[in-house]
């Protein structure tokens, strides 16, 4: 398990500026469509290298023992989040880019700029950047406050 504080790193970029700058026009969205079945990697390289999770906000939930956490996740081209799960639900939105969201227990989802997504509590998943730009995802979690935000597999 990974400690929540060590996993979430601040990037020094204002969150509102990063979100505003990330919007893509429909023509840019079409231009970034690519072969979603092939993700080249360098032999021996860490597929999660360069992935960042920036903590935007964290608040107690109205339900005792739970908290709401919001992050900005950035996944560089040809990289992935790594197989992981959360101790609660994840509600997300693709700000920019394309990912293939792979699951251990269900079919994968192709998600593009503007797509929302929902990850059930405990579902093991891996977001693979299959586009031509660094993917930016806004993820909001409602999680058990006594457990790490992310458990890697």
């Amino acid at each position: 398990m990974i400690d929540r504080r060590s996993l979430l790193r601040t990037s020094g970029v204002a969150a509102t500026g990063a979100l505003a700058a990330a919007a893509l026009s429909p023509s840019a969205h079409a231009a970034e469509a690519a072969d979603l079945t092939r993700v080249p990697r360098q032999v021996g390289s860490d597929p999660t290298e360069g992935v960042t999770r920036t903590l935007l906000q964290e608040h107690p939930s109205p339900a005792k023992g739970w908290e709401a956490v919001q992050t900005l996740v950035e996944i560089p081209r040809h990289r992935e989040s790594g197989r992981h799960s959360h101790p609660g639900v994840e509600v997300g939105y693709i700000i920019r880019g394309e990912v293939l969201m792979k699951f251990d227990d269900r079919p994968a989802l192709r998600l593009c700029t503007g797509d929302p997504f929902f990850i059930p509590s405990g579902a093991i998943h891996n977001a693979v950047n299959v586009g031509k730009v660094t993917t930016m995802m806004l993820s909001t979690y409602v999680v058990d406050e006594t457990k790490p935000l992310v458990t890697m597999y």
Side-chain angles (χ1 to χ4, degrees):
M1 285 193 260
I2 295 177
D3 177 63
R4 178 174 313 179
R5 302 296 173 227
S6 66
L7 180 65
L8 298 171
R9 299 183 294 268
T10 56
S11 67
V13 176
T16 54
L19 296 177
L24 291 178
S25 68
S27 61
H29 178 273
E32 84 176 61
D35 177 6
L36 298 178
T37 60
R38 198 169 71 77
V39 180
R41 289 202 189 102
Q42 295 175 358
V43 175
S45 68
D46 177 1
T48 65
E49 183 180 349
V51 174
T52 61
R53 290 175 173 89
T54 303
L55 177 64
L56 301 178
Q57 55 182 329
E58 188 172 22
H59 300 281
S61 169
K64 185 177 173 145
W66 294 82
E67 68 179 340
V69 179
Q70 190 171 58
T71 65
L72 177 64
V73 180
E74 296 182 74
I75 305 173
R77 289 181 65 204
H78 311 304
R79 299 296 179 185
E80 59 191 58
S81 64
R83 289 178 63 246
H84 66 283
S85 66
H86 308 284
V89 299
E90 176 180 0
V91 179
Y93 180 79
I94 306 297
I95 298 168
R96 175 181 72 195
E98 291 184 70
V99 295
L100 185 61
M101 189 71 72
K102 296 180 177 181
F103 296 92
D104 279 13
D105 64 348
R106 65 195 63 162
L109 295 173
R110 289 183 182 179
L111 301 167
C112 301
T113 301
D115 286 342
F117 62 92
F118 178 85
I119 311 288
S121 180
I124 298 173
H125 58 288
N126 183 15
V128 180
N129 184 337
V130 292
K132 295 186 176 186
V133 299
T134 295
T135 294
M136 294 177 71
M137 303 185 311
L138 181 64
S139 290
T140 303
Y141 311 89
V142 178
V143 293
D144 181 333
E145 67 184 6
T146 66
K147 296 182 180 174
L149 179 62
V150 177
T151 300
M152 301 298 292
Y153 297 95

